[in-house]
Amino acid sequence: MRQLHLFLLGFLSVSALGQDKKAGPVIQNYGEVYEIENISFPIDTSMDFKVVFDIMESPEAPGELNRQIETVARFLNMHGQNGVNTDQLNVYMVFHNEATKDIMADEAYMESFHTGNPNAGLLNDLMDAGVQVILCGQSSKARKVPVSEVLPGVKLALSAMTALVQLQEEGYHVIKF
């Protein structure tokens, strides 16, 4: 038993080394990432990163942060920490299906779920950093989340499919979970 304890203590000590994550420089309070050393597939810090995150899933429990949204903060921070300028990070998020509720303004979210929207602060930080947020018009109607009840700055599209096709035609690459 003593050997098992020593093994576990050693394993935990070794695995804890180099495991510190940090947020920033783009999004300060969300999107912590690990530092990666000895990268053998180098980052092209001269290219423009044009990405659109297709966000359609949401946590079951109201009041829980949508980790798919936080992935966008991680994307911005990891590239910012590794020499890519923020003006080279061109990011859209397209919300539809279950994730439609995650872009609701606090008042509307509170009325529906009896708690504030846990994603509001993160979404506002992302939009302040230049991320464009698009709501699927079809999901807006189907999920009964009118544009008047979403966070300021969210744009309404005819559909998620329309937005994704148009953005791909403009050279954006879809990241889907």
Side-chain angles (χ1 to χ4, degrees):
M1 188 67 157
R2 178 172 152 73
Q3 288 176 329
L4 178 62
H5 284 125
L6 289 174
F7 171 77
L8 289 174
L9 181 61
F11 176 77
L12 292 174
S13 297
V14 169
S15 65
L17 294 175
Q19 297 296 319
D20 292 335
K21 294 178 4 178
K22 69 176 185 176
V26 183
I27 305 296
Q28 297 301 320
N29 298 313
Y30 303 93
E32 292 182 340
V33 295
Y34 293 106
E35 179 181 339
I36 305 299
E37 297 175 5
N38 304 318
I39 295 173
S40 57
F41 184 85
I43 302 163
D44 182 353
T45 58
S46 68
M47 74 177 272
D48 286 332
F49 289 81
K50 295 175 76 173
V51 298
V52 54
F53 288 85
D54 181 357
I55 301 178
M56 64 181 289
E57 294 179 8
S58 180
E60 285 187 35
E64 189 177 324
L65 184 70
N66 185 329
R67 296 295 172 198
Q68 291 184 357
I69 301 170
E70 189 168 28
T71 295
V72 179
R74 288 179 44 241
F75 177 86
L76 294 171
N77 285 338
M78 78 172 83
H79 289 90
Q81 289 175 18
N82 288 281
V84 179
N85 292 323
T86 55
D87 61 350
Q88 294 169 253
L89 299 170
N90 304 292
V91 179
Y92 279 83
M93 296 180 351
V94 176
F95 284 82
H96 58 111
N97 201 336
E98 295 170 6
T100 301
K101 69 175 179 50
D102 294 334
I103 58 175
M104 293 172 73
D106 252 351
E107 308 80 43
Y109 197 93
M110 179 71 78
E111 189 173 308
S112 294
F113 302 106
H114 310 292
T115 186
N117 184 346
N119 304 291
L122 172 55
L123 285 163
N124 285 323
D125 287 354
L126 289 167
M127 287 189 281
D128 288 347
V131 174
Q132 300 291 310
V133 178
I134 298 175
L135 169 60
C136 169
Q138 302 304 304
S139 293
S140 171
K141 293 282 188 175
R143 303 268 175 184
K144 297 178 178 45
V145 178
V147 170
S148 61
E149 293 183 1
V150 301
L151 293 166
V154 172
K155 296 176 180 171
L156 181 66
L158 172 64
S159 70
M161 294 178 286
T162 304
L164 291 168
V165 167
Q166 285 181 207
L167 289 166
Q168 287 177 84
E169 187 64 26
E170 293 174 20
Y172 283 81
H173 302 275
V174 176
I175 297 178
K176 184 163 180 62
F177 301 96

